[in-house]
Amino acid sequence: GVGNINVHLESPVGTDEMKALSETCDAVFVAIGAHAAKKLRLPGIDAKGVISAVDMLRSIGDGVYPDYRGKKIAVIGGGNVAMDCVRTAVRAGAAEVNLVYRRRIEDMTALKEEIESAVAEGVEMLPLQAPVSIEVDASGACTALLMQPQMISAYSRGRPGVVNAQKPVERLEADLIVAAVGQDVVSSPFEAFGMKTHWGAFTTDEFLAAEGFSNVFVGGDCQSGPTTVIKAVGAGKVAARNIDEMLGFHHYLDCGVSAPPPRMNDRTPKGRVNLIERPVKFRKRDFNEVEIGMSSEEVQQECGRCLRCDCFGAGASCGGRIQYV
């Protein structure tokens, strides 16, 4: 332990353990994430050479980097995790990397910058292609992904849906097929304990307290569904603050700094310092950082740049100027 924090490793928590924790602890925070890979229901999905994005990226997180030299890789999906997979495959030396997605490129949930960077690194985008089966050879290994061309159609849940196009099935050769179609929460042990779920994620009130419990709180991907790390960090801070309040404390963090008095700053309009990326020919050969951080000179200019809060910030609604003068 560190201070009054005790860490217990190799301690699986199931239904009975969760019940004991909720009864013996003043508060319990569940932040188990969404670590289970969603499985595609396709003929041949259990073939050798078909893996999930979770499997691929977890091994890299453990320092085990794959060697895909000479291999043809097909990644199924259109989110940021799919982009992680295709860009990783490029760096692992793959001879060919294809991204298969059943909607259009503009419908992908991945960040626009991730999509553009993947294309720049040589990833082939195959939109409007729905996987229908996996071709398997006599040894049980995958050899190709069979895809049904799609046509964009009516909106469904806020996004345009797709329907089968009147085109023949296409065959994409692949030595390795990676399914990056989302992740699930391992919720069943906690549901048996009594926690409620909706669409596979735990349900809470506005204070992140688990539905039906006063001392069990939930946050992160297991409550919001898979999203970004920064949102999970934010959920942890929100839950910590609300647990604090529930226990009768009203703590305020001392940041250890005080704001200096305002000075007349340089109001010369300056362009924003945007981060640039390392050249593709270098970055796609290694796993080092892609973006180049700001220099000290750039940081100082960016911090000192006047954003004209008197025009566009609080001043605009409190008698401030509406236009530049």
Side-chain angles (χ1 to χ4, degrees):
V2 179
N4 59 353
I5 298 174
N6 295 312
V7 179
H8 301 271
L9 303 176
E10 305 295 332
S11 303
V13 175
T15 304
D16 294 337
E17 290 83 0
M18 189 63 202
K19 185 174 185 297
L21 286 170
S22 67
E23 291 174 351
T24 58
C25 298
D26 295 317
V28 180
F29 179 50
V30 178
I32 60 172
H35 296 289
K38 282 187 177 178
K39 195 168 184 179
L40 285 169
R41 294 184 178 89
L42 296 178
I45 194 66
D46 295 321
K48 179 183 173 184
V50 181
I51 63 173
S52 72
V54 172
D55 295 331
M56 176 184 186
L57 299 175
R58 180 176 288 146
S59 63
I60 293 173
D62 293 333
V64 180
Y65 293 88
D67 181 358
Y68 294 157
R69 283 176 294 182
K71 293 183 179 293
K72 295 179 179 179
I73 314 296
V75 176
I76 304 170
N80 283 318
V81 173
M83 297 304 152
D84 285 345
C85 291
V86 292
R87 299 181 72 184
T88 293
V90 168
R91 285 157 177 75
E96 182 181 303
V97 183
N98 297 287
L99 184 71
V100 178
Y101 184 57
R102 65 193 185 104
R103 289 188 171 93
R104 303 169 301 179
I105 290 178
E106 53 264 45
D107 300 317
M108 289 180 174
T109 58
L111 294 173
K112 183 181 177 182
E113 297 83 359
E114 285 280 342
I115 299 170
E116 292 174 349
S117 291
V119 171
E121 290 170 4
V123 174
E124 185 80 31
M125 297 289 170
L126 302 179
L128 291 172
Q129 297 283 359
V132 291
S133 66
I134 294 168
E135 185 180 282
V136 184
D137 65 14
S139 68
C142 70
T143 54
L145 177 65
L146 301 183
M147 310 173 298
Q148 171 62 54
Q150 302 292 291
M151 185 179 81
I152 206 71
S153 183
Y155 273 74
S156 173
R157 295 186 191 173
R159 284 202 297 169
V162 289
V163 294
N164 288 346
Q166 294 182 7
K167 297 178 181 178
V169 169
E170 297 183 11
R171 181 179 182 274
L172 176 67
E173 288 188 7
D175 303 304
L176 180 75
I177 298 173
V178 183
V181 293
Q183 291 149 244
D184 283 328
V185 180
V186 183
S187 59
S188 54
F190 298 86
E191 289 181 272
F193 160 66
M195 294 171 67
K196 307 290 192 300
T197 60
H198 179 68
W199 291 106
F202 296 119
T203 55
T204 68
D205 64 13
E206 59 187 307
F207 303 106
L208 296 185
E211 183 181 349
F213 294 88
S214 61
N215 71 330
V216 177
F217 292 75
V218 187
D221 284 6
C222 65
Q223 184 266 336
S224 63
T227 182
T228 62
V229 169
I230 195 62
K231 288 187 178 180
V233 171
K237 291 186 176 183
V238 167
R241 182 65 180 268
N242 291 330
I243 290 171
D244 207 38
E245 291 288 328
M246 184 267 292
L247 296 175
F249 297 98
H250 307 283
H251 292 146
Y252 288 91
L253 292 177
D254 179 9
C255 296
V257 296
S258 57
R263 294 182 299 176
M264 290 301 292
N265 53 358
D266 178 4
R267 298 194 180 191
T268 305
K270 296 186 180 73
R272 174 177 175 169
V273 174
N274 289 334
L275 296 183
I276 60 174
E277 297 184 342
R278 292 166 56 212
V280 170
K281 60 185 176 182
F282 298 129
R283 76 181 191 230
K284 71 178 186 179
R285 298 175 184 168
D286 59 45
F287 286 88
N288 296 332
E289 293 285 346
V290 169
E291 291 180 331
I292 299 173
M294 293 185 196
S295 65
S296 176
E297 181 183 30
E298 289 173 322
V299 168
Q300 290 180 51
Q301 175 175 296
E302 191 68 6
C303 291
R305 192 160 61 94
C306 180
L307 302 180
R308 294 310 301 262
C309 299
D310 55 336
C311 289
F312 305 110
S317 59
C318 301
R321 292 190 296 275
I322 305 302
Q323 300 178 343
Y324 286 118
V325 294

